[in-house]
Amino acid sequence: MFAVTNTTKLTSFGIDSEHFKSVVMISKTRNAECRKKHLRNDENDPRTLCLMRIKGFPRLLPEGILTLANYSRWLRELSLSYALLSDELLLALCSVKQICLEILRVEVYPEAKPLPRISDEAWSAFSNHLPDVNLALLSYIIDDDDQKLLFTSHIPVTHLYLGDATSELIMSRISKQCPRLIELVIAAYGSGPIDRFLISMAKDCTHLSAVGLGDCEITCSGLAKFVTLCANRLQALYISETSLIEDEDFDIAKVSTNLSSLLGWTWVPEYVPLW
């Protein structure tokens, strides 16, 4: 594992690509599976690096990240702030033949401004070069203009976590811009029932197999229709009972029975205690 963490204020400390090697922290982890598959003779050999995590360094350029990545042919996971993402970095990752990323994890925070604009061409090149990569996007921003930047391109995200209130505009874009979506977690949506957006995702995101809803409203009929469309691939469905809106066709008990029949396993909404 390779970790770079800025523990001081960004205004008083920075790191640039030229001095990259002198301010890093290397920590070894004993991962039996990783060692069995990838490690060979010397466990201190930097070529055995499997995970690289970078946070809080706005001055670090793509070349700096690639300095180590290019020297680590076993790199499988790269975790970094969205602020460090760029067309140049994505294209550079495509050009390094020995890097076979399995996971790219990107976190977006409101203080990381201005957010970079990633082009369709860069995302397309990245997904074509690494067609099986898992791209996890974790967003904690609530500003509409910032959120729009994340979904202006055809982004090959597979695991999407929306950690703050999501707007109607963003919800309407997910099915169109994220066709490779496998897992979707939405912490909150406060603009009415989420039915039509989920139904749209069931139709357009043909790999969607796991959904978790937090403070979101969905009608029992809408949920039944959503599950009907993707029951054959749905493996996880987490919805709190307080999010379900009963209607003339389904109450909570009836929709639970209906979904259990469709899914082939017992489904009930998540219980929320009153206290």
Side-chain angles (χ1 to χ4, degrees):
M1 174 181 173
F2 175 83
V4 184
T5 305
N6 187 351
T7 56
T8 60
K9 293 182 179 179
L10 294 178
T11 54
S12 62
F13 182 74
I15 175 174
D16 55 31
S17 294
E18 183 179 353
H19 298 92
F20 182 64
K21 293 181 181 179
S22 64
V23 291
V24 301
M25 175 186 70
I26 301 291
S27 63
K28 291 184 295 182
T29 59
R30 293 186 174 275
N31 185 314
E33 182 178 353
C34 182
R35 289 171 63 85
K36 182 178 180 181
K37 289 184 178 179
H38 305 303
L39 304 188
R40 293 189 174 177
N41 297 323
D42 185 356
E43 67 180 295
N44 294 314
D45 187 341
R47 288 174 299 177
T48 63
L49 181 67
C50 294
L51 166 64
M52 182 160 66
R53 181 174 294 133
I54 304 170
K55 290 185 178 181
F57 293 97
R59 290 169 54 198
L60 183 60
L61 300 176
E63 305 89 87
I65 298 173
L66 287 167
T67 296
L68 188 66
N70 197 25
Y71 189 50
S72 309
R73 61 179 180 176
W74 298 120
L75 185 65
R76 294 295 180 267
E77 180 176 347
L78 175 60
S79 176
L80 73 169
S81 167
Y82 192 89
L84 293 174
L85 210 58
S86 66
D87 282 14
E88 292 76 17
L89 177 58
L90 291 176
L91 294 174
L93 287 172
C94 297
S95 67
V96 181
K97 293 182 179 180
Q98 67 266 33
I99 295 181
C100 297
L101 278 184
E102 296 174 0
I103 301 172
L104 174 61
R105 177 186 171 97
V106 182
E107 298 184 9
V108 195
Y109 294 96
E111 60 270 18
K113 292 184 179 181
L115 294 176
R117 183 182 294 274
I118 311 300
S119 69
D120 283 323
E121 291 76 17
W123 279 128
S124 178
F126 178 78
S127 59
N128 288 336
H129 181 73
L130 298 166
D132 298 322
V133 70
N134 285 309
L135 173 56
L137 177 63
L138 297 84
S139 173
Y140 302 97
I141 57 178
I142 57 176
D143 184 81
D144 240 17
D145 290 333
D146 290 336
Q147 289 189 67
K148 281 190 290 186
L149 270 178
L150 300 180
F151 301 101
T152 53
S153 300
H154 204 68
I155 180 171
V157 61
T158 56
H159 298 72
L160 179 60
Y161 306 92
L162 301 173
D164 272 304
T166 305
S167 70
E168 182 176 358
L169 174 65
I170 299 307
M171 288 301 305
S172 66
R173 290 190 175 191
I174 293 175
S175 62
K176 298 179 179 65
Q177 305 292 50
C178 310
R180 296 184 62 213
L181 198 61
I182 295 172
E183 180 180 13
L184 174 67
V185 176
I186 302 173
Y189 177 73
S191 301
I194 204 170
D195 301 27
R196 63 189 178 96
F197 302 117
L198 279 186
I199 291 169
S200 177
M201 291 174 208
K203 294 176 180 177
D204 298 331
C205 304
T206 57
H207 302 287
L208 186 64
S209 60
V211 173
L213 302 181
D215 187 12
C216 305
E217 291 184 338
I218 184 168
T219 67
C220 290
S221 291
L223 179 59
K225 185 172 182 179
F226 166 74
V227 173
T228 298
L229 291 169
C230 57
N232 62 327
R233 63 179 188 273
L234 203 58
Q235 299 177 11
L237 179 63
Y238 297 96
I239 299 175
S240 66
E241 60 182 355
T242 55
S243 296
L244 288 173
I245 302 174
E246 297 181 329
D247 51 50
E248 59 183 11
D249 294 321
F250 291 97
D251 58 18
I252 292 178
K254 188 175 179 180
V255 78
S256 297
T257 301
N258 178 265
L259 266 57
S260 297
S261 176
L262 290 169
L263 294 168
W265 40 271
T266 301
W267 183 89
V268 291
E270 302 299 302
Y271 172 70
V272 179
L274 296 176
W275 43 266

